[in-house]
Each structure stands twice: as structure tokens, then as C-alpha cells.
Amino acid sequence: MTGSGKPAANKATANGDGEPVRFLKGAAISVWQNSGDDDSNWTRFAKSRWPFRSFGVSAIRGKYNIDKCSDFWNNYERDIKLAADIGSTTFRFSIEWARIEPLRGVFDMEAVHRYHQMLDCMAAHGLVPNATLWHFVHPTWFEQAGGWTKEENIPAFVRFSVKCFEWFKDKITLWATFNEPTCYMFLAFIVGIAPPGRIMDLVTAGRMLSTMLKAHTATYRAIKAAPGGQAAQVGLVSHHITFEPQGTGILYGVSKVLSDWMTYWWGWDVVHHWMLTGEFVWKLPVLGVWQRWQDPAGRPPCDWWGINYYSRGIFSWYLAPSCRECSEFGIPMYITETGIADARDDRRALMIDSYMKATLRAVAEGCDVRGLYYWTLLDNLEWATGYTMKFGLYAWEPDGSVDRKLKARAGASGDRNRLARTCGYNAHKDSPANKHDHELMRSLLDTAFQELVQERPVLGIEPGVDSMEIGKAYRVKKYEHRFNPEMLQKVESAHSTIMLSQLSARMKGKGVNKDVAYADQEPLFPWRPKRWDATPKVIMVIGAMQLGMVAYGFQQPALSKTIFCGLIGIAANVMKQNAIMPPPKDPEMATEEESGRASRNFVRGFLLGALATIAGTLLFSIPEVLVSQAKMTLPVIPGVPNVIVSMKILGAALFNWVMTSFYY
């Protein structure tokens, strides 16, 4: 878009001089997550114990904090070379405001010089820099002044951004004002796991997002107005996640309400509407619209749109995320982050392969996608989750046991060649030099669709089956062919083909066919309820056993009966887990994953049974609480010595029956 808010032509190029641009691919990092700093909002938060100080709970999960980091600040030459070594053509990084301006109005020129050194190093390795001006971190003085909750703080960020542009404009063309404003809003003001750590402060959350979007517009216009600003490409990076309800009956109704509000609180609908109309609308439950304003200039100015996409957002009742209609903005797109937290390193190669194919297909189908960045280069401190999430292409451990080791299955061999083929992609659709590129893209597209049709039989599925059936078929086929490497490869390839078809549909802004819906999802909460198609025999047998316990408990009420209900549930759940993921028949021939399956099945079955028992007992304890508060006396039921205890037994039995029969 231009400064007036009108969409820019699709032929706009990254360097602004009319020359064709390459399809960029590389890794993305946050300097703070790999370096820390002396003082900032996140450094203070990371070292605090809010909001559970009294319980001694740290804000960062795990043993190590940001003071144990890979120190990109002093090892940038080494790390930038690592990015180049795996075939990158670009490098996305953050310019840390807290390092540049540690005190209001005081700029650290040594920090500015260090960034010049980083940019020179990128240039030496042939990497196009993509700089983010705000990546969750800002100076402490800005936080103490109210941060993004006060509009009067916007000029401070604009001043910092213009300074950075003046210093680095000769070395940086791609600029992002903000990284994931909506994600930060959710983490900082709704769930409280980012500074300032507020929980369900929905009013302030809306105010913060409103201020940040206004700051984007002000910063864009200030950079464009600066000398040389018209050559800069200034964009905005957003976390793309929406939630869609799944289920039937009452569960669908509940998931529909939750999905609508979760989508809203993650902010994608708000930002999407703002990008298309220039109108900001923030709603609160029950109260409705709380804040509304319209930019007099209309649609906000933006030269490119950054998509941060992670396939890991399923919530209870199969709420699944999807990217919607990014092409409507009429500006180029970059996949600025996509990755997988894969501690076992057995899914990353498949993910990279699938998403690169999907991106190629999206380009072939006409989407103006100009680059892809994998998150992230090295294992780093993933905000509140600490070092427990392993996104990096290179392994790094804070205890010093591993230092920048390329992960064996990171896809750096075959995928490097595939990525390299895209380096010469020319964004100009009508360029003679680009004719061959588009023929190649179209060929890839046609081949991918043929594969989708041909490879369904490999998994034993038909068109129209839902995601649960796809997942089950995938696990079953992997187990069946575990001793046949050739067939295992075909199974992985078939599953990958179905997965990639979904991302391509999302990037085009289209709906997802039922046969590929949610096939690429990794659970955000691994203990989420998942349907298990238990046989009528299992449902009846477990139901009869628990019904017997209820009848026994009503005759002789005692809390020990809830334990028996739980033991029945635990035994049934363990058997169910073994039926879904069978332990190996021959332990000596089992893979590492299969050898630990029996113990994992037991632990999961035990936890499910225990959870059902506790939840059922607590829920059915509500009558006891109400009676106590109202100082009432329950009527005596003939043959039932203690109604209160009997209700708890009923709750434990009912929850265990439901957990065993319908979920795993």
C-alpha cells in the first residue's frame, strides 16, 4: 500500500527500484531471545515470580533463564554463517529498542555500531536483512510510562524507529514495525504470561492493541516521510490463528462460543477488519462494543504482510486454527515465521518439506508470496516456556552440553536443494525471464494434486473422511510397516501430501475440504480431549461396571468407593491406550518410540482415570457446598444413608465412564 492506504501494485519489489525480486528463504530470530539485555520489560519479567510469587513459581519454565543464552550479540558472525551454511538467502532479526535507547532520549551508539557489524556480516554472506523494530521487548522506562496502554507513548516509538531507519536505511529495505501485536496482547493481558502479566484484563488488552495499530500507521508515515523513505518496504507481522468449533450437540454449542471468543481475543478478526477498512472495533463479552474508531485516511498503510503460522493450535472439542484471506489486502506476503517445537527431532523434516511444497503451490496458484522464514535458527528461550520448546534448526543447550549442532533430521540436505530451486524465483509475473519459473511452479502444482489423489489409498482412506480418521490411518499404517523402510517412506509422503494441501488452501484464503481438514495440526495442549470410537461392547461393559459401583455406593456410601471407580477407569483407560497404540509384540525388534509405548500408555491411562475421578468428585460436590452455604438439611432418601457421599461416587463413576468410552 501507499502512504494513503491504497493497495500497492503487485509488481512492487523489495528493493523499490523496479528490478525483479527473488523468493527469499531463511531463518528468523529474536535478538533478545538469544542474547537477553541489561534491562527491559522482558528481562525484568523473566526474573520475577509473578503472578505466583507466594508459591515460588518463576515466570520462566525450567531451570535456566535468559542469563543462560547462546549470546547472539557477541556470536553474531558465527550464527549468521550458520544461517548461510544451510542455504539461506535472507535473515530476519529484531532491533532491540532497550539496547539502542536504554534511557529515554539516550542512544547507545556502541549498540548501533554492533548492528552495523551484523548487517555487514549478513551482506558478506549474501543474506537479505529483514528487520523487526519491536519483537515483544521494549525499554523499562517505556513500560513504566504505561507502554502500549497509553497513546501518548506512540511518539517515543516513532522517534526510535525513524532513528533506526536513518542509521540503517542503506543496508535494510524490508522493515516490520511490529511482530505479532495480537499474540502479545493475548499473552500479556489475557493469560498473564508476558509483561506486564495481567490476567483477563480485556479492557486494557483492547486499548493496547488499538495503540499499537495506531503506532504502526504513525511509524509507517514517519519512515516514508524521511529522506530515502520511499525506497523502504514497511510491513506488519501478524500471528494468524483462528478457532473453529467441532463436535455435535451441546459440545458443539459450547465449542462455538469458546471458538468465537478465542478467535476474537487472539485478535485476528479485529486486525483483519482494520486492514480492510481502517476501522478498529473491540468488543467485550455481554457488554458488546467497548472501543471503536475509524482512521480518517481509510485503510492503514502497509507495503507487505507478514504471516506467522504455526500448526499447533487445537483446543478442546477440536478447535482448529486457519489463516484467512490474506490475499484480500492486495499486498505482497512473506511467511515470516513457521516452525515446529520438536524435541525428538522426528517431525521437523516432514514439516519443512510439507510447508515448502505448500508455499510453492501457493505461488503457482497466484498468491503473491515472496519468502519463507523458519522459526528459528538455534534453540532459544521461548519466552515463558523457557528452553523446553525446541524450535531450532541447530541444537543448543543452556547447560553447555550442546553448542550449535545441526539437527540430524532438520531437513538440511534434501530440503536445502528444494529451497535452493526457489532462490531464483522472480516475482514479476510478466517478466520473460520468469516464464520458465512459472512453468516449473505450475508443474509442481499439477504434480502435487495428482499425488493427493494417488496417495490416499496408501493410508487406506477415501475422500470425505474427517481428520480423526486421517490421523488414525496414519498411525495404523506406520505401525503396520514399521519394519519396511520403503513403505514407511510412502506413508510419510502420503500424509505429507494431505497436510500440505491444507496450508495452500489457507494461503489462498479459501475454505478447507473436509478430507484434509486439520490434518496438519499439532496439539497446543497434548492432553486435549480426543474422540475415541469405542465399540458398543466396551461402552456397555465399562458402563455396567461403573453402574455396579454406583449401586454399591448408594447402599454403603464411603469415599473409598470413588477410588474403586477410579481404579476401574484407570484399568479401562490403560487397555484403551494399548488398543489405540499397541505395544510391540517383539521388544527386540521395536524402535525406540515403540519400546517406550507400554509405559506411556500406562501413564496416560492412569492420568486420565485419576483426572476423571477427581473432576467428577469435585463437580458432584457442588450440592454439598450449596447446602452448607444455605444451612439447609437434605431430605432423607430411604435406603441411602448419605446422599452427599453417594453423589460424589456417582460423579466419579460417570466421569470415568465418559472418559473411557469417548475420549483418549
Side-chain angles (χ1 to χ4, degrees):
M1 290 186 181
T2 63
S4 63
K6 296 180 181 180
N10 285 340
K11 293 183 181 180
T13 60
N15 55 18
D17 59 7
E19 291 298 320
V21 295
R22 295 178 302 169
F23 182 95
L24 301 175
K25 46 91 180 180
I29 72 162
S30 152
V31 172
W32 185 88
Q33 288 177 263
N34 292 272
S35 306
D37 55 35
D38 293 332
D39 194 20
S40 65
N41 62 325
W42 254 105
T43 296
R44 289 199 175 190
F45 185 80
K47 296 178 180 179
S48 73
R49 295 187 180 276
W50 199 99
F52 305 110
R53 292 189 184 94
S54 58
F55 298 98
V57 178
S58 173
I60 303 297
R61 184 191 305 171
K63 180 179 179 181
Y64 297 99
N65 209 310
I66 190 59
D67 53 348
K68 289 286 187 179
C69 62
S70 59
D71 195 10
F72 174 82
W73 190 255
N74 293 305
N75 292 297
Y76 66 90
E77 292 177 306
R78 185 180 179 189
D79 291 342
I80 290 172
K81 182 180 183 300
L82 291 179
D85 287 346
I86 57 174
S88 299
T89 59
T90 182
F91 190 75
R92 180 173 177 245
F93 66 104
S94 59
I95 299 179
E96 296 300 332
W97 188 5
R99 285 184 178 270
I100 298 289
E101 191 179 3
L103 300 174
R104 182 188 290 268
V106 178
F107 296 96
D108 186 344
M109 297 312 295
E110 289 187 6
V112 174
H113 178 66
R114 176 52 54 91
Y115 273 108
H116 274 295
Q117 291 175 318
M118 293 178 189
L119 291 166
D120 291 342
C121 186
M122 293 177 207
H125 288 285
L127 302 180
V128 176
N130 187 328
T132 302
L133 291 165
W134 184 88
H135 195 130
F136 292 6
V137 182
H138 50 249
T140 300
W141 60 261
F142 184 79
E143 182 81 355
Q144 292 172 340
W148 298 112
T149 65
K150 295 184 178 181
E151 290 188 14
E152 53 264 36
N153 291 332
I154 292 177
F157 179 72
V158 174
R159 183 183 68 243
F160 158 73
S161 300
V162 172
K163 282 282 189 181
C164 289
F165 176 72
E166 292 172 349
W167 289 323
F168 309 125
K169 63 182 177 182
D170 294 333
K171 299 176 181 179
I172 302 175
T173 299
L174 289 172
W175 298 83
T177 53
F178 293 97
N179 177 77
E180 299 182 342
T182 58
C183 179
Y184 192 81
M185 172 195 69
F186 185 85
L187 298 177
F189 292 93
I190 295 180
V191 296
I193 58 174
R198 299 179 186 175
I199 299 176
M200 294 305 291
D201 189 350
L202 302 179
V203 173
T204 309
R207 189 186 311 128
M208 168 257 160
L209 182 58
S210 169
T211 302
M212 197 169 284
L213 295 182
K214 288 183 178 180
H216 162 77
T217 300
T219 302
Y220 179 97
R221 290 174 177 155
I223 290 177
K224 290 292 185 176
Q230 291 302 313
Q233 295 293 296
V234 184
L236 180 63
V237 174
S238 180
H239 188 129
H240 283 244
I241 181 169
T242 60
F243 299 90
E244 299 173 0
Q246 292 287 290
T248 57
I250 296 176
L251 287 182
Y252 178 84
V254 174
S255 66
K256 179 68 168 63
V257 173
L258 289 175
S259 65
D260 288 347
W261 279 110
M262 286 300 295
T263 297
Y264 200 82
W265 288 338
W266 271 97
W268 167 237
D269 284 352
V270 179
V271 171
H272 182 252
H273 179 73
W274 173 74
M275 279 292 293
L276 291 176
T277 66
E279 182 185 43
F280 177 87
V281 181
W282 182 252
K283 300 176 183 177
L284 298 180
V286 181
L287 299 178
V289 176
W290 185 262
Q291 184 180 5
R292 185 198 300 268
W293 52 264
Q294 172 72 52
D295 191 323
R299 294 177 61 177
C302 195
D303 293 329
W304 58 273
W305 187 254
I307 300 172
N308 286 3
Y309 174 81
Y310 294 88
S311 56
R312 55 181 178 87
I314 293 180
F315 276 70
S316 300
W317 303 300
Y318 315 106
L319 307 182
S322 63
C323 295
R324 293 183 190 166
E325 303 169 345
C326 305
S327 299
E328 291 184 8
F329 301 155
I331 54 180
M333 295 174 288
Y334 291 86
I335 310 300
T336 39
E337 287 182 25
T338 188
I340 183 172
D342 184 10
R344 298 194 305 269
D345 193 28
D346 59 1
R347 293 165 292 169
R348 184 172 288 102
L350 177 62
M351 176 266 169
I352 294 174
D353 179 77
S354 300
Y355 282 14
M356 181 48 65
K357 285 180 181 177
T359 303
L360 291 175
R361 286 181 53 198
V363 172
E365 291 165 355
C367 291
D368 195 1
V369 183
R370 300 192 179 184
L372 182 146
Y373 296 83
Y374 179 85
W375 183 269
T376 181
L377 184 67
L378 269 69
D379 291 333
N380 61 14
L381 186 131
E382 286 295 335
W383 309 113
T385 61
Y387 290 101
T388 61
M389 301 184 74
K390 307 297 184 182
F391 280 96
L393 293 171
Y394 289 87
W396 185 87
E397 291 294 339
D399 62 4
S401 59
V402 182
D403 184 15
R404 294 167 170 82
K405 179 181 179 182
L406 183 64
K407 295 178 180 178
R409 302 180 184 179
S413 53
D415 288 322
R416 182 188 303 177
N417 295 331
R418 183 178 296 107
L419 296 178
R421 289 201 301 269
T422 70
C423 291
Y425 169 64
N426 184 325
H428 281 213
K429 306 289 190 298
D430 55 356
S431 169
N434 195 35
K435 183 177 180 180
H436 178 266
D437 290 332
H438 275 278
E439 291 178 353
L440 173 61
M441 295 291 183
R442 181 58 61 183
S443 175
L444 287 168
L445 171 66
D446 295 339
T447 301
F449 275 116
Q450 292 172 6
E451 289 176 351
L452 182 61
V453 175
Q454 296 172 356
E455 292 190 346
R456 282 197 190 102
V458 176
L459 295 185
I461 60 175
E462 299 293 334
V465 299
D466 62 21
S467 60
M468 287 303 298
E469 291 300 323
I470 294 173
K472 285 183 180 178
Y474 171 61
R475 291 193 297 271
V476 168
K477 292 299 181 182
K478 279 189 66 176
Y479 182 74
E480 286 181 359
H481 301 298
R482 62 191 185 281
F483 302 128
N484 187 335
E486 183 178 351
M487 282 303 300
L488 267 179
Q489 181 61 37
K490 290 183 179 180
V491 169
E492 294 287 1
S493 176
H495 191 236
S496 170
T497 300
I498 294 175
M499 288 167 59
L500 68 90
S501 64
Q502 181 183 12
L503 182 61
S504 179
R506 289 174 178 168
M507 292 175 65
K508 291 185 295 180
K510 296 183 178 180
V512 181
N513 294 331
K514 187 177 181 183
D515 61 322
V516 298
Y518 321 135
D520 67 337
Q521 302 307 307
E522 284 294 325
L524 180 60
F525 299 114
W527 297 100
R528 77 192 193 283
K530 294 184 288 185
R531 286 297 298 272
W532 177 56
D533 297 327
T535 63
K537 181 179 179 181
V538 170
I539 295 174
M540 292 177 63
V541 169
I542 300 303
M545 294 176 67
Q546 295 291 8
L547 185 61
M549 285 304 306
V550 171
Y552 183 35
F554 269 73
Q555 293 297 318
Q556 298 183 16
L559 288 178
S560 60
K561 305 298 188 301
T562 63
I563 298 177
F564 283 108
C565 293
L567 291 175
I568 294 173
I570 289 171
N573 272 289
V574 171
M575 289 188 291
K576 175 182 66 181
Q577 297 300 318
N578 286 332
I580 296 170
M581 298 291 286
K585 296 180 180 179
D586 186 355
E588 294 184 358
M589 297 294 293
T591 64
E592 182 178 354
E593 188 275 331
E594 292 170 342
S595 62
R597 191 174 288 173
S599 59
R600 287 195 299 272
N601 287 345
F602 176 80
V603 171
R604 187 178 179 87
F606 179 87
L607 291 176
L608 288 174
L611 176 63
T613 303
I614 294 171
T617 303
L618 290 177
L619 184 63
F620 279 71
S621 295
I622 293 177
E624 180 181 14
V625 175
L626 296 177
V627 168
S628 176
Q629 291 293 327
K631 299 181 180 179
M632 297 171 54
T633 302
L634 286 177
V636 177
I637 301 178
V640 182
N642 191 325
V643 176
I644 293 295
V645 175
S646 298
M647 288 292 292
K648 296 178 182 180
I649 298 171
L650 174 62
L654 179 61
F655 273 54
N656 270 289
W657 176 70
V658 171
M659 185 70 77
T660 304
S661 300
F662 300 107
Y663 295 98
Y664 74 94

